[in-house]
Every structure is written in C-alpha cells, then in structure tokens.
Amino acid sequence: MAIEQLPSSDTPPVPRIPTGLRRVEDARRHHGAFTQTYLDAMWLGDPLADAFVADFPALGHGRAMRQLRQACREGIEAVTDAPESLRALFRQLDDVPDWLDIAAIERDTEHTTRYNLQSGIVLGAASLVSGYANSAASRPLELTGRYIENAGARTIEVGSWLAAVSRPGGLDRHGEGFELTVRVRIIHALVRASLQTDDRWDSAAWGVPICQAYLAYTLVEFTLIPLRAMRQIGAPYLPHEERAAYARWRYLGHLLGIDATLLPRDAEEQEALEHIYLLTRPEVDDYCRELVASINREFLVPEIEGVLPGLLRGQAPRVVQALERLFLGDEIADELRIPRTRLTRVIAVLGPLLVLVNRFRDRFPTSRARRAAKGEAYGEEQEARLRRDWGVQHDLVDASPSGGRPHPARGDVG
C-alpha cells in the first residue's frame, strides 16, 4: 500500500526539507536516493489511521474507540455500524504480509526472557533516551505533557506493550499485542490531529507530527539499539534470536502503518535508517534534557537502586549516567548534558567478558530454558511491582484515568 500525503486546499506547499534538520547533504552522500525517501516521509502521516480519527467528531471519541477494540477482538465484520474509514484500516491490518512467519518468530525467541532484567534497564537507558536527542521527535511529548507529567507511568505503558507483543500468541490476529499495537497507531493519529491544529507546532521546521520518518525510527529504537546495548553490557542474544527480533518488528512496523518504502527488513536497513536519523536530527533543546532528567530521576535511578547491593545504592545515578554514555556515545550524551563518569569505561571493559561467559552458558539448551523461566517470573513480578509503586492499572494512555493534563488519546482535549 502506497502512502500519499493528505490533500489540503488552503495550506501552501511545504518545503521539501524541514528547516530544523541538519547535515542533509552528508546524508545524501552516504545514502543516496533513500535520503530523499526519508525527507519526503517527514511530511507524511498515516492516511488510514488519520482518516479514521477524522471521523471521531461525528462518531464520538468513546464510540470510535469501542468500535476499534471490537474490530481488533472480533473482526471488522462484527462492527455492524463501522464507518468506511475503519473498514479501510482493517483491510490493511487483515492483509497479512507474505513474508510474516509468526511461528518461526516465536520458536526462535522462546528463551529470550533469560535477559529480562537487563532488557528492562536497556529499555529506559538506551531505547527511550535515544529518542530524546531529537527535539522535533520528542516535541509531541512536550506539547501533550505526557512525560514530564509522569515518567514512570509512560515507561510502564511502553514496557507493557513490548511485553504483550513478545509473548507467545501476542501477535496473533486476536492477540493482546495485536490490539495494543493498533491502539498505539490510533493514539499516534489522535496526537497528530491535535498538534496539526496547535499554533505551537512549527510544521516548516519539524514536518508532520509523528511523521513516517520518525515512526520508522521507532523500529530502530526497539530493535537495533537494544540488541546492540545488550551486547555492550554482556547479555547477547543468539544470532537466530536477533533475526527473529528484526522479523517481529518488521511486522509491528506494518501494523503501526509504516510505509513499505521505509520499513526496514533487517539489521543493515535499520543501520542505514539510524545513520540518516542521527545525521539529520534537529538539535537537542532544553526539553530533551528535561526528558532525560525526568526518566533518570523518576524511574531509572530508583530501578538501578533496587538491583544494586545495599552499600552501592548511592552509586545508582553514576551507573545510569555510565550506561547512557555507553549506549548513546559521547556526542549525544554531551548534548543531553549527561555527566561523564569513569564508570562508563569499567562497564565497557566488563561487557565483552560477560559476553564470553553468557555465550558459554547459552551453548546448553537446558541452561537457556532454566534462565528463561526465571527471567519470565522476574518480568511478571517486576511489572506487578512497578504498577503497584506507580499506581498504574491501565495499559495505554487512551485508557488512563482522567485528571491532570488533558490528552488527545483520552478524548479530553478541545
């Protein structure tokens, strides 16, 4: 399915390159025509999801979301009064790509829960923080107040979604992970619609809110970056597990509405996408730094304190800073004003040694299975504890309690 820019009769043509981007010519030299594909995608949203959201005023927010959930759980034909926009969305969602093999993905990731402790740390310190080094990509969080308001709640929401799409059966057509991913897609569209009528959104500088280019980079944040970070701290997945991770996120990208021209199939294509993103990303601003300070202060430091021995708990801030510098590199860490620490070098030296230890342990299927069972139990206990400590009972923001700052996904904006 080709994605086309939504027509607008009263809006002047937008420039080909958002003014906030940098080093575009460097990107062209490295990546040729794909760079233009990426730049064009800065002006593209998600026409199918955006069309459904455009029907929300007529349907009513609550009714529209109930229709969406019913279509996920029972199929679009069960929604007798579904608008054509929702039917068109589910024609795409129900059109299973011929390259998808869920059975192979689940078989090859059977024992990945053995690293649940490490992957939870990497989610915050690598995956989420990497996205905060882009002032345009993080701007929707600023304008909706979603992260500074409650860093812990949003991190739990993301972690719960990732757990759901990784469980056996999670990506089946009526699985929990499938529904959550479709809801994430509609949340993006609701935020996009809200920001496009917000005077604070500078489209000439930033392109379309939650544009195709940055949606595609989401796959890098949750595949290439964490797989690399896990190796850096000595918790490497096996080659077949990594291949399955790229396959899983290719399908998730399809469900999220990422156009095939941008949807990376493997590590090489994700590396190219990451390189363009890093070259052209707008400069870090104070809000980016506030985001990092918030997730560190409110979430990562307390979590690291919980896994360190008693006498070392006071070192948790330094451990978080060391991990972020290791994962992000000095250039981005300096822009985000993450303090330098010698502990980064210590972790960088220990990582390869732990890789050798864990590679040896992974040679034995019984070891992988035993550790995976322990990791799965840890993950369940950790989620229950986090939800209890942070008072979070919902899954995604569209189901979060009202109160505090309004959010377009809840239908309490405007």
Side-chain angles (χ1 to χ4, degrees):
M1 180 194 70
I3 289 184
E4 299 177 358
Q5 188 171 355
L6 294 177
S8 176
S9 58
D10 54 2
T11 302
V14 293
R16 296 293 288 172
I17 302 173
T19 58
L21 297 188
R22 302 179 292 170
R23 301 176 292 204
V24 170
E25 292 310 312
D26 287 346
R28 292 189 194 278
R29 281 194 293 273
H30 283 283
H31 300 285
F34 183 57
T35 299
Q36 190 59 51
T37 299
Y38 180 88
L39 296 173
D40 290 343
M42 295 288 294
W43 305 109
L44 301 176
D46 177 352
L48 290 174
D50 293 340
F52 177 50
V53 164
D55 283 337
F56 271 45
L59 294 168
H61 186 98
R63 179 185 174 199
M65 291 303 290
R66 287 192 296 273
Q67 289 181 335
L68 180 74
R69 288 174 184 243
Q70 184 181 14
C72 286
R73 297 171 185 180
E74 303 174 35
I76 187 61
E77 296 308 320
V79 187
T80 56
D81 55 348
E84 175 54 29
S85 59
L86 185 60
R87 294 184 181 280
L89 174 64
F90 273 83
R91 280 196 291 272
Q92 185 257 333
L93 290 169
D94 288 331
D95 184 14
V96 180
D98 58 9
W99 42 259
L100 178 66
D101 188 343
I102 290 181
I105 292 171
E106 293 187 349
R107 181 192 65 236
D108 289 343
T109 56
E110 180 182 6
H111 297 139
T112 54
T113 54
R114 68 189 183 278
Y115 291 132
N116 266 357
L117 170 61
Q118 296 92 329
S119 64
I121 294 169
V122 163
L123 168 64
S127 296
L128 295 180
V129 172
S130 71
Y132 303 156
N134 180 329
S135 56
S138 61
R139 194 72 59 181
L141 289 173
E142 176 183 8
L143 298 183
T144 60
R146 186 60 188 144
Y147 216 111
I148 296 298
E149 175 186 284
N150 196 333
R154 186 172 185 276
T155 305
I156 292 167
E157 291 165 1
V158 173
S160 297
W161 170 49
L162 298 181
V165 301
S166 300
R167 293 190 189 105
L171 287 182
D172 289 349
R173 172 56 184 84
H174 301 291
E176 180 189 12
F178 181 97
E179 178 182 329
L180 289 179
T181 304
V182 174
R183 284 168 55 201
V184 166
R185 181 174 180 176
I186 298 305
I187 290 167
H188 288 161
L190 286 163
V191 171
R192 187 182 303 113
S194 177
L195 293 182
Q196 285 185 304
T197 60
D198 191 323
D199 292 340
R200 298 171 297 172
W201 184 264
D202 186 348
S203 59
W206 306 326
V208 170
I210 315 182
C211 64
Q212 280 283 317
Y214 293 160
L215 277 174
Y217 182 71
T218 301
L219 273 63
V220 175
E221 289 182 288
F222 293 122
T223 318
L224 176 66
I225 289 173
L227 290 177
R228 183 170 62 210
M230 293 291 280
R231 290 192 295 271
Q232 288 175 298
I233 60 173
Y237 295 109
L238 296 170
H240 68 271
E241 293 171 331
E242 293 199 353
R243 287 192 298 270
Y246 286 106
R248 185 191 304 277
W249 279 94
R250 185 184 181 190
Y251 182 50
L252 284 167
H254 170 78
L255 295 181
L256 288 169
I258 299 171
D259 185 52
T261 59
L262 277 172
L263 187 60
R265 294 170 293 184
D266 51 29
E268 183 179 2
E269 291 187 358
Q270 285 208 13
E271 286 167 358
L273 185 60
E274 180 188 40
H275 194 217
I276 294 177
Y277 174 92
L278 292 176
L279 280 172
T280 62
R281 64 184 172 87
E283 293 183 357
V284 163
D285 62 11
D286 286 340
Y287 182 74
C288 297
R289 300 181 187 105
E290 289 178 35
L291 278 174
V292 174
S294 178
I295 191 175
N296 287 354
R297 179 181 62 251
E298 302 295 336
F299 190 79
L300 283 173
V301 168
E303 290 309 303
I304 292 294
E305 286 175 342
V307 300
L308 289 176
L311 293 176
L312 295 178
R313 287 177 184 166
Q315 298 300 310
R318 289 183 64 230
V319 172
V320 171
Q321 293 157 8
L323 289 170
E324 288 173 343
R325 279 203 164 264
L326 180 66
F327 298 152
L328 301 174
D330 285 335
E331 178 185 349
I332 294 177
D334 285 344
E335 291 180 30
L336 291 170
R337 296 178 187 165
I338 298 169
R340 291 177 179 262
T341 169
R342 294 178 181 176
L343 195 55
T344 303
R345 180 59 183 163
V346 174
I347 297 174
V349 170
L350 286 176
L353 299 178
L354 290 173
V355 165
L356 294 176
V357 171
N358 283 318
R359 287 288 192 213
F360 177 77
R361 299 170 75 193
D362 284 347
R363 291 173 60 186
F364 306 99
T366 54
S367 171
R368 295 201 306 272
R370 182 176 63 253
R371 290 150 54 210
K374 290 180 63 176
E376 186 171 354
Y378 169 82
E380 293 173 355
E381 293 170 2
Q382 179 78 338
E383 181 173 355
R385 181 188 66 78
L386 289 172
R387 288 186 175 279
R388 181 182 65 249
D389 291 352
W390 288 91
V392 174
Q393 300 304 320
H394 61 276
D395 46 24
L396 299 175
V397 62
D398 61 315
S400 63
S402 298
R405 188 166 178 172
H407 193 280
R410 290 193 296 257
D412 52 10
V413 172

